[in-house]
Amino acid sequence: MAFTCNIDQKGRSARLRAGIVAGVLGAASAVFWAMPSGGWLEWGVSGLLIAMGLFCVFEAAMGWCVCRAMGFKTRV
C-alpha cells in the first residue's frame, strides 16, 4: 500500500505538534498515574495516548492523513 501525500505543510506541522503533545501526555500519565496505581485501565489509557502520538508523528513524516485517505474533509 502506497502512502500518497494528501496534506500540506500546515497539516504536517499540526499533526506533528498533536503527536508530540499526545506522546508527552502518554508518557507523563504512565509515569505519574499508571506506575503508582498499577491498574490495567491506567496502563491502557497511557499506552493509547503514546500510540496515538506515534501515529500522528508518522502521519506528519509521511505527509499522509488517514481521515483524508478515507474521504473525510479536514480543515487543516
Side-chain angles (χ1 to χ4, degrees):
M1 176 176 158
F3 296 102
T4 58
C5 185
N6 61 3
I7 55 175
D8 58 358
Q9 194 62 33
K10 187 176 172 184
R12 288 178 117 174
S13 66
R15 279 156 185 82
L16 181 62
R17 285 191 307 263
I20 290 171
V21 168
V24 168
L25 285 175
S29 69
V31 170
F32 297 113
W33 183 44
M35 278 187 186
S37 66
W40 64 270
L41 179 66
E42 292 86 355
W43 281 109
V45 169
S46 299
L48 283 175
L49 278 170
I50 292 171
M52 184 176 76
L54 289 173
F55 186 70
C56 284
V57 170
F58 169 76
E59 283 184 323
M62 296 297 291
W64 175 78
C65 175
V66 68
C67 293
R68 284 190 175 213
M70 290 190 299
F72 294 103
K73 299 291 182 189
T74 59
R75 287 188 279 166
V76 179

